[in-house]
Amino acid sequence: MKNIILLIMDGLGDRPNQELGNKTALQAARRPNLNRLASNGTTGLMSPVSFGIRAGSDTSHLSILGYDPIKYYTGRGPFEALGLGIELKSGDIAFRANYATVKDGKIIDRRAGRVKDTDSLSSDLETEIDGVKFIVKSGVEHRAAVVMRGKNLSDRITETDPHSVNSPPEFARALDHDAQFTADVINKFLTRSRKILENHEFNKKLISIGKLPANEIMLRGAGKIPEIPSFKEKYGMNAACISGTPLIRGIAGLAGFTNIRVEGMNGRVDTNYKNIISAAVSALDKYDFILINIKGTDIAGHDRKPELKKYVIEQVDSVIGPLLERLDNTLIVVTGDHSTPCSYGDHTGDPVPVMFATNGIINDNVRCFDELSVSTGYYKITSNDIMPIIMSYSDRAEKYGA
Ligand code: ZN
Ligand code: ZN
């Protein structure tokens, strides 16, 4: 049996970029180690969740790990909150939140200039209203999670994020009669929060240095926590996760993974790539299955920066040399969780390259790892197929039949 490292470069898939001579970021990147891995295994294209689906990171990671999102996905809020270390209880409603900038009653930046270190804002927004406790925790950059804990709460409410600039921030509305109390309490929370943020020292400081204030908190993705069977139960493997992204840590935690902390890992493009791979190699002694998520590729895609996406891929490539020395006993799987083309600035349903590399399996004549080269490889699969293939190549699968 072999151990497994599953390296997911978030939003890896790309489309041709004019700036890169009509190449994808992966095609344009210097990537000798990724190409060497491809030469040591089989490759193909993988459609996250299913063909043509514009998957989110949450639904795609669930599906890659063998959890049908149709059954287990209850909205992004619970996943984000879990990843920030908030312990959810049954009946809790969790939201994703964004700090945003409002000027003259209209949103002018949905990410408040990608503000950082908002802990002091979040802790001052925590409160209790009409018997409902509000837990607020900051995430990476402008992101946060808000959890409501109390009686008679419903997730049947609208988002307060209008998803566009130049619109006024919204209040929550009840989607059915039972949700009216929840909507009323949220709106009291929002009114209170707006006052606090407007006068907060943190924001005054931002304005004084010419930056955008984080004077609005927008809520979306309301949901209740799902119960899912553990990865150990499903596959008999001890699993660990290495990710600087709260959402991914949350999903892994839900499936019973140990989340490993790494010095300098931050879920941004300037994360410590070297430490992440070193931590994964060390973890092979203790764990059968290690999931790594690198977020920078997705961030660059959303920001429409092909050069930056190429840079992130090159950073990853430059540190994965040690994985090549492990191919006797380890199956290295590299893929993305969806495409985030720089030309589109968001997730698309395009398939992503995938490769399964280990010594002793057939090479499918593919020697380069990119969207086009792997299209001549073995596989045209969906994310549902990833775990069965992993189990087989790692010599862990049970025989189906006699
Ligand atoms: Zn993603
Ligand atoms: Zn994304």
Side-chain angles (χ1 to χ4, degrees), residues 10 57 295 298 302 338 340 347:
D10 208 293
S57 295
K295 189 67 179 168
D298 182 58
H302 282 286
H338 49 76
T340 311
H347 305 188

Side-chain angles (χ1 to χ4, degrees), residues 28 54 59-60 81 90 117 187 212 239 243 275 299 310 317 335 350 355 363 373 391:
R54 290 183 58 209
T59 49
S60 174
S90 115
D117 307 322
N187 293 335
L212 296 172
S243 165
N275 286 359
I299 293 173
K310 173 175 164 256
D317 190 276
T335 189
D350 307 11
M355 66 177 160
N363 171 244
S373 302
M391 295 300 278

Side-chain angles (χ1 to χ4, degrees), residues 70 102 176 197 209 238 266 282 325 329 341:
I70 289 175
V102 171
D176 61 37
L197 293 174
I209 55 170
N238 288 317
N266 60 19
S282 310
E325 290 155 29
N329 309 311

Side-chain angles (χ1 to χ4, degrees), residues 129-324:
I129 298 168
D130 297 341
V132 177
K133 202 175 160 190
F134 284 85
I135 302 162
V136 186
K137 201 129 189 224
S138 294
V140 176
E141 294 180 334
H142 54 283
R143 300 182 190 92
V146 174
V147 172
M148 298 174 77
R149 179 167 297 157
K151 287 189 180 131
N152 302 319
L153 296 177
S154 165
D155 58 358
R156 297 277 301 141
I157 39 166
T158 59
E159 307 188 327
T160 74
D161 180 351
H163 288 279
S164 60
V165 286
N166 292 324
S167 314
E170 294 179 5
F171 280 102
R173 280 173 289 113
L175 290 169
D176 61 37
H177 186 72
D178 293 344
Q180 193 55 54
F181 170 69
T182 308
D184 289 345
V185 177
I186 289 173
N187 293 335
K188 286 182 190 173
F189 168 78
L190 287 175
T191 303
R192 174 184 181 274
S193 297
R194 286 165 186 165
K195 264 186 216 139
I196 289 173
L197 293 174
E198 198 58 59
N199 300 306
H200 205 284
E201 276 309 312
F202 180 87
N203 279 329
K204 286 183 182 161
K205 231 175 253 172
L206 284 177
I207 293 169
S208 76
I209 55 170
K211 290 192 165 181
L212 296 172
N215 57 7
E216 170 71 16
I217 186 161
M218 305 193 292
L219 307 180
R220 57 203 163 111
K224 288 188 183 179
I225 186 175
E227 272 186 37
I228 76 176
S230 77
F231 200 74
K232 174 103 188 162
E233 266 170 69
K234 272 174 86 82
Y235 304 109
M237 291 192 278
N238 288 317
C241 170
I242 299 176
S243 165
T245 305
L247 178 64
I248 307 304
R249 286 207 299 271
I251 290 169
L254 209 55
F257 283 55
T258 302
N259 275 302
I260 295 176
R261 300 274 162 174
V262 176
E263 182 76 36
M265 176 174 72
N266 60 19
R268 302 195 300 259
V269 294
D270 63 347
T271 195
N272 193 321
Y273 297 92
K274 196 157 192 243
N275 286 359
I276 288 172
I277 298 301
S278 306
V281 171
S282 310
L284 283 172
D285 295 336
K286 210 172 153 193
Y287 298 95
D288 308 305
F289 185 100
I290 296 143
L291 167 70
I292 306 171
N293 174 284
I294 302 281
K295 189 67 179 168
T297 30
D298 182 58
I299 293 173
H302 282 286
D303 288 350
R304 300 172 184 265
K305 290 179 176 163
E307 284 287 353
L308 183 62
K309 192 165 178 178
K310 173 175 164 256
Y311 164 83
V312 172
I313 294 165
E314 288 177 345
Q315 291 301 303
V316 172
D317 190 276
S318 71
V319 298
I320 59 171
L323 301 185
L324 282 148

Side-chain angles (χ1 to χ4, degrees), residues 11 13-15 17 301-302 304 309 339-348 350:
D14 203 8
R15 290 176 179 175
N17 296 291
H302 282 286
R304 300 172 184 265
K309 192 165 178 178
S339 294
T340 311
C342 300
S343 58
Y344 188 72
D346 204 343
H347 305 188
T348 64
D350 307 11

